[in-house]
Amino acid sequence: MRLVVQGPAITMAHLSHLHGLVGGHAQFMQVGEHAYYLPVPEADYLEAKAFCASQQIDCALVQDTHRLQHMGLCVMDMDSTLISIECIDEIADMMNLKPQVAEITEAAMRGELDFSASLRKRVALLKGLPATALQRVIDERLRFNPGAQAWINTCKQHGIKTMVVSGGFTFFANHVQQTLGLDYAVSNTLEIIDGKLTGQVLGEIVDAQRKADELTKLRDQLGLSAAQTIAIGDGANDLKMMAVAAVGVAYHAKPVVQQQAMYALNVVGLDGVASLLSV
């Protein structure tokens, strides 16, 4: 096992205190600009975890088998994971409906609402919106989360295939795929007739189970084992795909996701996943 700590607030004093809490004969080794690891026995590290939380430092006890050189596939959520927005909320803002839609989105991400039903309910509110509003969301509001491109570049360097699987929409998922250079993209399709949204979603909804199924399907197509997979997400609908992956990372996630995920990043960007697995 190794204790991985990271964040711009880390100082040598922090590392010294953590070493005293967890012990071990080795010293912290630097693996990134603001990331360090310490080989430790498989022991209780609750004190170290509590200390790091109080100091705005991400902390994880990482299994030795979880290293980049062992991985072959990384599947990621899109909204609030790879990108900083919830696209449907921003589309709704074009119709002055953002508060109503965002409230439903937030409840769904906390796991309080059925995702498929909530998505259909939200999309129905968008009926009549010109399809040109989708491009406006990309041009004016869509931003990638810190470290997104660096993480994808790391995956490429290690031969790890990448896929975005999103409960959001193809218009945005395809843009994200092309911009970041992802290998695959799966998402929902909004019905558009005569240049306007109809308020309907075409085909099978990409919900929590579908996300898990897409991961296992691609894993098998690539001839990989479960031990070679990574899943990254932030909402309750990402939990099933994180559960079928060897490495599940909660990225700036809802509490229910942080509680169930193997690892959680709350301070650093997506490039922090590389630090978790690079030792």
Side-chain angles (χ1 to χ4, degrees), residues 149-230:
Q149 188 67 70
W151 166 240
I152 300 306
N153 292 346
T154 297
C155 287
K156 289 180 182 296
Q157 291 163 10
H158 288 82
I160 299 170
K161 295 296 184 181
T162 53
M163 176 168 69
V164 56
V165 58
S166 173
F169 309 114
T170 53
F171 192 87
F172 306 105
N174 292 343
H175 170 78
V176 167
Q177 178 189 10
Q178 292 164 12
T179 304
L180 292 179
L182 303 174
D183 296 298
Y184 307 92
V186 177
S187 56
N188 296 306
T189 302
L190 291 169
E191 183 178 56
I192 299 172
I193 296 178
D194 295 331
K196 293 185 177 181
L197 276 62
T198 66
Q200 301 293 320
V201 180
L202 298 174
E204 180 189 354
I205 295 287
V206 180
D207 59 5
Q209 187 58 54
R210 175 85 182 278
K211 287 188 172 193
D213 292 346
E214 291 290 342
L215 186 154
T216 55
K217 182 172 72 172
L218 181 56
R219 177 199 73 198
D220 293 346
Q221 286 175 358
L222 294 171
L224 301 171
S225 69
Q228 294 175 283
T229 56
I230 306 165

Side-chain angles (χ1 to χ4, degrees), residues 83-104:
I83 62 176
S84 63
I85 62 171
E86 292 287 336
C87 290
I88 193 167
D89 296 353
E90 302 307 320
I91 300 170
D93 197 29
M94 305 290 179
M95 299 183 73
N96 297 314
L97 291 172
K98 186 173 181 176
Q100 299 95 306
V101 171
E103 184 178 351
I104 301 172

Side-chain angles (χ1 to χ4, degrees), residues 214-275:
E214 291 290 342
L215 186 154
T216 55
K217 182 172 72 172
L218 181 56
R219 177 199 73 198
D220 293 346
Q221 286 175 358
L222 294 171
L224 301 171
S225 69
Q228 294 175 283
T229 56
I230 306 165
I232 307 173
D234 75 291
N237 65 324
D238 298 316
L239 285 170
K240 287 188 177 181
M241 76 169 183
M242 292 164 70
V244 298
V247 176
V249 181
Y251 178 74
H252 295 239
K254 300 294 183 289
V256 66
V257 184
Q258 293 191 42
Q259 290 161 13
Q260 297 184 45
M262 186 171 295
Y263 307 121
L265 296 177
N266 295 312
V267 178
V268 298
L270 283 164
D271 50 332
V273 181
S275 297

